[in-house]
Amino acid sequence: MRDCHCEITRWLGPLGTEVNIDAAGNLRAFYSAADTQAPRLLLGSHLDTVPNAGAYDGVLGVVLAIALLEELDGRRLPFGIEVVGFSEEEGVRFGAPFIGSRALTGRLDEQLLSLQDAQGISVRRAIENFGLNPGDIPKAAVKNDTLGYLEFHIEQGPVLEKLRLPLAVVEGIAGQSRLEFTFVGRANHAGTTPMHLRHDAVAAAAEWIISVERQANEVPNLVATVGRIDARPGATNVIAGEARLTLDVRHSSDEIRNRAVDSLVREAEQIIQRRGLSVSHRILLNQQAIAMDSFLVNEIEQAIRHSGCETHRMVSGAGHDAMILAERVPAAMIFLRTPGGISHDPGESVELEVVAKAIECGLLLLDQLASSTLFQKRTCRA
Ligand code: GLV
Ligand code: MN
Ligand code: MN
């Protein structure tokens, strides 16, 4: 991440921006308006990735924000532009996502700071190890002069490809729950323990995983995923005494999502009772679904149309920093078509002409906002 910050800072330097890293490890670059006291518009996305990731999820949104500054070529707008490269959006290291963006909305709290990674290093300690001061986190919060937040991101799904459209405007983002389950049975010898005398944690977890898939299949538009499983002690000839699993559940209705999570917790309890094990769970995230700002959504649609494209509104199943920022400032997103709908995988890609369209649309949008007195009168919901 330090190398990434250095590289991006090298790109931003010649564009007349002031760059700094806030206490949550977010890169912040400010390109002021002609009037240095003018309010600001945030543009950005995240710089972290998932394991075995593609090259575009997150970072493309930061690169596009920088490309827009490049295109402005020194021209100043009636508002400043702050480019933000968020840290820790994916939640890979500590299990909880949006750590960087939560610092901007004042939600990077003690509970989040004390989460630990697989090596037992807390978020607080990781921040210190990076050379930053967790005591300065409150200074990372968005200022009251913030007009909004815009994020370009790959769609990460097949919808735009199916519609043969390059861009879409996001009108809402599905809520998501992330949990960790621990099934505890009894480790024992794989050769000497008869099948009916086992308390196999992996077998219990496997039964539950299948019911996660079945229940998600039964509810329209519900998605539920067990993306990680660790068996302990983890040897071919030992019945697993413990299995730790992650659960990720998403839906655009918070009620349906919460009901599904409750039902899956009950299902785990029924399975362990039948099999003579125990189970516990920790909630790592309960993020509500959120609507994007309707004024910005309309402006984006107009910019997409003016760039010669048909518009399409969609709900994002993926989580984004925009859903955190939306709690504090008007936020909206623009999706770019993702070939094959492949994401979170090295096969992830974007097409050059779609990126060019996104830059064209972004510039039109900035000019629309620059000539809108209505936009410039809006201030952040403190
Ligand atoms: C972010 O990539 C997410 O998991 O939604
Ligand atoms: Mn991602
Ligand atoms: Mn992303």
Side-chain angles (χ1 to χ4, degrees), residues 19-60:
V19 186
N20 73 289
I21 308 299
D22 71 22
N26 301 309
L27 181 141
R28 317 273 295 257
F30 188 59
Y31 177 83
S32 80
D35 168 4
T36 54
Q37 301 304 308
R40 69 186 67 201
L41 171 68
L42 307 182
L43 277 181
S45 193
H46 60 100
L47 295 173
D48 64 319
T49 60
V50 292
N52 200 35
Y56 301 96
D57 173 6
V59 74
L60 179 69

Side-chain angles (χ1 to χ4, degrees), residues 356-368:
K357 258 305 161 207
I359 294 173
E360 185 184 345
C361 166
L363 267 182
L364 288 164
L365 180 61
L366 288 180
D367 282 331
Q368 275 168 224

